[in-house]
Amino acid sequence: MNLDAITTIEDCQKLLTAEIKTFPDWPEKGVNFKDVQSILYKPELALITSHYLQELLPKQDVDFLFNKILCFDARGFLFGFDLAKASKTPMILARKPGKLPGEIITQTFEKEYGLDEIQVQKSLINPGDKVLIHDDLLATGGTAGAAAEIILKCGAEIAGFNFIMDLSFLPGRKVLQQYVDDSKIKALLTF
């Protein structure tokens, strides 16, 4: 893989589209699972992905338009930490129940495969914060929508959403449009 050949976001998108593996009928029949492992297995591909995800971050001139980034357990952590470091903003972990200490906020949501919950430590999101939500994949919008609800419960603002992949044939983007304008929902790839 020649990193020098990837000079635009379009080059990155073509490369990722070719490299990301799809597993049909997993974890259940009818689901075509897009596997982020394809990116992680090749360090050069992960570097390129991280670089172009950073290009999608909401900013005006040199100033970022968010002051915290919320990322999901576990795949959202992988590139979310790179985004937090690049923007010099705190990263907040959204995790499954029973994984976080202290006072927490829980939000139940519907996923592609049934009901689920995420939790965030309550003291990390405050009124006036502008929180960017990052995950690897936008599908039905359940996980990201649950994070948006937690942010609103804390009196903070949703700065936008950032994903590696958007499965545009699923309703996720429409779900998130109830929280922000479509221009604030960014994905490196659309399938």
Side-chain angles (χ1 to χ4, degrees):
M1 186 179 313
N2 181 3
L3 290 180
D4 297 331
I6 309 300
T7 59
T8 66
I9 196 166
E10 291 81 11
D11 292 340
C12 175
Q13 290 166 331
K14 286 178 192 169
L15 179 61
L16 287 175
T17 299
E19 292 283 336
I20 290 174
K21 290 182 183 171
T22 302
F23 290 87
D25 296 324
W26 195 90
E28 62 183 44
K29 191 164 181 57
V31 175
N32 290 318
F33 186 83
K34 301 287 186 192
D35 192 12
V36 73
Q37 177 68 60
S38 308
I39 298 169
L40 302 173
Y41 192 71
K42 298 180 179 179
E44 300 89 357
L45 194 55
L47 283 169
I48 292 166
T49 301
S50 181
H51 172 77
Y52 285 104
L53 279 171
Q54 291 171 38
E55 293 292 313
L56 297 179
L57 292 175
K59 59 187 162 194
Q60 185 171 1
D61 299 320
V62 296
D63 296 323
F64 290 98
L65 300 176
F66 59 98
N67 68 327
K68 293 182 179 171
I69 183 167
L70 183 145
C71 306
F72 296 97
D73 188 352
R75 293 183 308 236
F77 296 170
L78 300 170
F79 290 98
F81 189 51
D82 287 350
L83 299 177
K85 290 184 296 184
S87 60
K88 297 183 173 98
T89 57
M91 179 174 153
I92 300 166
L93 307 178
R95 303 208 59 199
K96 297 176 193 269
K99 302 288 185 182
L100 294 171
E103 191 175 354
I104 56 167
I105 300 173
T106 300
Q107 184 67 41
T108 303
F109 63 98
E110 182 131 1
K111 256 180 112 164
E112 301 91 316
Y113 322 115
L115 287 180
D116 208 345
E117 288 182 334
I118 61 166
Q119 296 181 330
V120 172
Q121 289 174 315
K122 187 175 184 179
S123 62
L124 301 180
I125 302 173
N126 303 296
D129 282 340
K130 294 179 180 175
V131 184
L132 178 70
I133 298 168
H134 169 76
D135 204 1
D136 67 321
L137 180 74
L138 174 59
T140 63
T143 308
E149 290 295 329
I150 286 175
I151 291 165
L152 294 175
K153 283 180 186 177
C154 293
E157 181 182 327
I158 301 154
F161 298 89
N162 176 286
F163 303 96
I164 298 171
M165 299 175 264
D166 177 0
L167 303 182
S168 62
F169 54 90
L170 293 172
R173 187 169 284 270
K174 272 202 181 322
V175 168
L176 301 185
Q177 287 171 351
Q178 67 184 315
Y179 300 105
V180 298
D181 182 75
D182 190 62
S183 65
K184 293 182 178 185
I185 305 169
K186 303 288 186 179
L188 195 51
L189 293 175
T190 302
F191 290 101

